[in-house]
Amino acid sequence: MIRIAIIGCGIIGASIAFELSKFPELKVTVFDKQPPAQGSTGAALGVLMGVISHKTKGRNWHLRETSLQRYETLIPELEAITGRKIPFNRQGILMLCSEGENLSKWEKLIATRESQGWKLELWDVERVRDCCPHLYLNNKTIAAIYSPQDRQIDPIALTLALVDAAERNGVIFEYGVEVAGSAIAATGEFDRLIISAGLGSTAVTASLNQLVDIRPVLGQALHLRLKHPLGNPDFTPVITCDDVHIVPLANQEYWVGATVEFSENGAEIQANAEMLDGVMARARSLCPALAEAEILRKWSGLRPRPEGRPAPIIESLPGNSRVLIASGHYRNGVLLAPATARSIREAILQ
């Protein structure tokens, strides 16, 4: 029996717990000072930008591809195990391109994706108008990229389903517990320690005398409701342009986001209302009907971004092979969660 402790129960920790729960030789305990999905997971929009990203090789593309493939089986698997419904939009992502956009770059990516077995389409403006009549395309819009195999998922519903499924397989979850990595290591109760605590990972690694520097980037978003559905009810992809996402939900509801706000001189980040207003203004310019929407709530969250190195961090703690880090996913935690869980499983069972 290999005894494993996981610190952190956001989307990454929950995904790892479920992945490891399938192996009876592993005894898994998850610790978190909060209930599941309270940190950056609870503030995410859940847009899975994999095929439409410009990552085409190396670790970054491998993680994206592995996760996209796994999501197609993971969602029905979790729903069957738990009886929970996990909102999962399979309608893809439509990215609007404005003048100045290098379309030849996209044509090259389309060819690359085709060779990799993935689909990506270049749409002209007329096709966008036909498929998405609710969008306002001014004379600066020159085309769109449609990615039918990218997805969007509800991060909180997914995390709770992962926890539920892992519990059914024997994983123990302990909440309201703030633990240092050194405290867990000192008990001798666990053979391996997995740190997936997002921004909290820095303090946990510091307690093990190895500082992994992960810093916050704040993001704000809005939850809206309209009286009538937008556009074509049979075609409801995520709409994105200039890093603004319009995410369709059920019942004429939408998420709109998100800002990207950095700390100044290491100070605590205060949510900038003007930046959120700017995101909403750009969303309304893309979709004028959003001007009539009721704002149900505004929210923000801190994303964990590694300092001075690429995201995410998935590796053994330097000098301590018993400790694995799976953290610092920045804006792609939901997208990369399944692949991260698989990487950790392989490291433990190698």
Side-chain angles (χ1 to χ4, degrees), residues 191-213:
D191 302 300
R192 304 297 293 272
L193 171 61
I194 300 165
I195 301 171
S196 57
L199 288 167
S201 301
T202 298
V204 176
T205 58
S207 76
L208 294 164
N209 301 314
Q210 285 285 351
L211 179 65
V212 175
D213 194 358

Side-chain angles (χ1 to χ4, degrees), residues 4-9 13-14 17 28-32 171-175 196:
I4 296 170
I6 300 173
I7 300 180
C9 195
V28 181
T29 306
V30 180
F31 299 94
D32 202 312
V171 174
I172 298 168
F173 290 85
E174 296 192 12
Y175 305 120
S196 57

